Amino acid sequence: MKKIFALIVTLATPMTANALNIFVCEPEWSALIMEIAGDEHEITIATSAFQDPHSLQARPSLIAAVRDADLLVCTGADLEIGWLPLLLRRSGNPSIQPGNPGYFLAANYVRRLEIPKLIDRSQGDVHPQGNPHIHLHPRNISRVADALAERLSEINPGSSAKYAAALEYFQHRWDESVNLWSERAAPLGGMRLASHHRSFSYLADWLELDIVATLESKPGIPPSGAQLATLLEQLSPNPPAGVIRTPYENEKPSQWLSERLNIPEIQLPFTIGGTDKAVDLFTLYDETIRMLEEYAN
Ligand SMILES: [Zn+2]
């Protein structure tokens, strides 16, 4: 009888005592948590592939989720500056405030691109801390995975051996996949593309894509008709292979330009859920490369 009781306790403990409430700002970090921690935790994701992480409404349901959170995992680098500070303030939850172990920003662990020499928020630049869209460079994923596993272990030491094993397994599979992707995508090097927003700078850095034009004059500033006309004139003699954008960005400027240049307008998945097939980090990268291959000359 004693033996049976002990067994029940052992089985019951991991289900209840170790389960954390995790608030995640973007789907890519939720996917990374799943790789390291499986589905033992309750995850609330603030945005989807179809919502701009730069701007979000601080809905009551989100405030409630932050209030209950043991860990908050966001991109940082000011990506969520328009809404996350408000959620944090309204949550009244001390454990996930900046500086505490429950507050984790992925961009703190990578080398950021496009850090401006002069920060000028007055003109509406939404990338004052450098480009925050870090997740489409595989090296960044790898670094954030290390840091995230460490943080999960700090908050939930009972599962640290499990996290370490899962991290090792993930990094091994990730390295293998990155080698295959790099080899396969080598012919994409030098592919010329226009981009609505600077959403794909890290992808371009990795695959050596040539982003010849960005439709927004500054990150976050919608292009005016005059600016688009200028771009059309500049790109007409040698049009790029396509105009790329995320699922959440306004398609009109990209469509306008693509129609006039007679080039495809390409909505890449950008993050998990951006297409039906992009269900985790591996398939997100697969899909992104496959779509670029489709449009490469
Ligand atoms: Zn941005």
Side-chain angles (χ1 to χ4, degrees):
M1 195 63 206
K2 231 179 184 175
K3 220 174 180 180
I4 292 167
F5 180 69
L7 183 70
I8 291 167
V9 171
T10 323
L11 285 175
T13 311
M15 299 292 289
T16 51
N18 289 344
L20 302 174
N21 285 320
I22 307 180
F23 182 89
V24 180
C25 288
E26 293 85 22
E28 56 269 23
W29 307 131
S30 170
L32 192 55
I33 293 167
M34 296 289 280
E35 297 289 348
I36 298 165
D39 56 4
E40 73 174 30
H41 303 304
E42 283 291 324
I43 301 177
T44 302
I45 314 174
T47 61
S48 77
F50 297 89
Q51 285 169 305
D52 185 351
H54 282 293
S55 58
L56 192 72
Q57 244 194 328
R59 302 189 299 273
S61 60
L62 291 178
I63 297 168
V66 177
R67 185 174 298 136
D68 292 341
D70 305 295
L71 173 64
L72 176 140
V73 177
C74 294
T75 297
D78 281 359
L79 175 61
E80 304 94 351
I81 194 99
W83 53 278
L84 187 57
L86 185 68
L87 283 183
L88 285 167
R89 263 200 315 278
R90 295 218 176 138
S91 75
N93 178 353
S95 56
I96 44 82
Q97 300 296 327
N100 290 317
Y103 181 78
F104 180 93
L105 298 184
N108 288 353
Y109 300 93
V110 307
R111 190 177 59 84
R112 287 205 287 281
L113 301 175
E114 301 166 5
I115 294 177
K117 288 187 181 77
L118 188 74
I119 296 175
D120 187 3
R121 244 188 247 283
S122 66
Q123 291 181 36
D125 186 345
V126 295
H127 293 174
Q129 307 295 330
N131 191 314
H133 306 290
I134 60 170
H135 65 284
L136 291 178
H137 195 306
R139 186 186 55 219
N140 293 351
I141 292 294
S142 187
R143 286 184 183 167
V144 176
D146 281 342
L148 195 52
E150 200 175 304
R151 190 65 65 90
L152 279 163
S153 296
E154 189 184 344
I155 291 175
N156 197 22
S159 292
S160 59
K162 187 186 136 184
Y163 298 148
L167 174 70
E168 201 184 321
Y169 179 57
F170 169 74
Q171 296 286 28
H172 175 69
R173 285 184 302 136
W174 190 247
D175 282 350
E176 278 185 346
S177 298
V178 172
N179 288 338
L180 291 174
W181 288 321
S182 301
E183 206 175 304
R184 174 181 150 196
L188 296 177
M191 183 180 185
R192 298 172 67 254
L193 292 162
S195 178
H196 175 92
H197 177 81
R198 293 184 182 275
S199 304
F200 300 98
S201 298
Y202 293 86
L203 181 74
D205 184 52
W206 172 41
L207 299 179
E208 296 180 0
L209 309 172
D210 189 3
I211 308 285
V212 293
T214 304
L215 274 54
E216 292 180 340
S217 58
K218 264 178 185 285
I221 310 294
S224 68
Q227 282 164 341
L228 283 176
T230 308
L231 270 182
L232 176 62
E233 207 178 304
Q234 284 168 358
L235 296 174
S236 287
N238 186 15
V243 188
I244 53 173
R245 64 173 173 82
T246 69
Y248 59 79
E249 281 155 0
N250 181 3
E251 71 277 16
K252 295 222 170 76
S254 303
Q255 281 171 354
W256 186 92
L257 194 64
S258 74
E259 278 164 20
R260 277 151 189 84
L261 288 172
N262 197 23
I263 56 172
E265 196 256 339
I266 309 165
Q267 180 182 308
L268 291 171
F270 186 62
T271 188
I272 318 300
T275 62
D276 289 348
K277 285 183 185 155
V279 295
D280 58 21
L281 289 163
F282 292 91
T283 46
L284 168 65
Y285 274 61
D286 269 336
E287 269 285 90
T288 303
I289 292 172
R290 187 194 62 75
M291 289 185 74
L292 290 174
E293 284 170 341
E294 198 182 316
Y295 294 104
N297 293 323

